[in-house]
Amino acid sequence: MTARPVIVIGPTGRAFGVLTSVRRRDTSGPRIEKVTSGDSAFAYTVHDRGFTHCIDGCLRAEIGVLTLSEQSFRIAATVGLPLRVWGLRGRYDGTVPAESFVRVLVAADAPD
């Protein structure tokens, strides 16, 4: 699984989130049911399910996004973001490092 913090800047303001990619070498692939951090569940949206990383066979991937508030994004920039990703075949645990959020905030706040 990979997880990348992102800020999307558009005409109506900013949207904060974490892009996710979960891969599995199986014909049915990953199916994410929910994503939590501690007792809190995130709004999670699936964007794509397809084959990826096709070297000596392909992996099935589920690409999605966790929607965060600006406040949650800024807190994650100080302490990181522990995640538990729940799927049909178990769960994944990990942490998105605080430094990843900091780099995105610095780039988004930089003058043009």
Side-chain angles (χ1 to χ4, degrees):
M1 175 178 178
T2 58
R4 295 182 178 100
V6 63
I7 299 173
V8 177
I9 303 170
T12 59
R14 294 178 174 201
F16 299 83
V18 176
L19 299 177
T20 62
S21 175
V22 178
R23 294 174 298 278
R24 178 178 169 86
R25 189 179 301 269
D26 187 303
T27 56
S28 61
R31 296 273 186 202
I32 304 307
E33 295 176 335
K34 66 180 177 177
V35 181
T36 60
S37 184
D39 294 332
S40 300
F42 291 101
Y44 173 72
T45 304
V46 176
H47 285 285
D48 192 18
R49 284 194 184 98
F51 290 105
T52 182
H53 297 81
C54 293
I55 300 171
D56 190 27
C58 294
L59 299 176
R60 179 73 81 168
E62 179 171 305
I63 311 300
V65 65
L66 308 174
T67 303
L68 301 176
S69 67
E70 180 176 359
Q71 179 183 7
S72 294
F73 197 95
R74 291 189 181 277
I75 290 170
T78 62
V79 298
L81 184 64
L83 295 177
R84 178 166 279 177
V85 180
W86 302 81
L88 295 177
R89 293 169 190 85
R91 65 179 187 250
Y92 304 93
D93 290 318
T95 300
V96 184
E99 298 81 26
S100 298
F101 291 91
V102 171
R103 283 194 300 270
V104 173
L105 284 168
V106 167
D109 292 340
D112 292 333

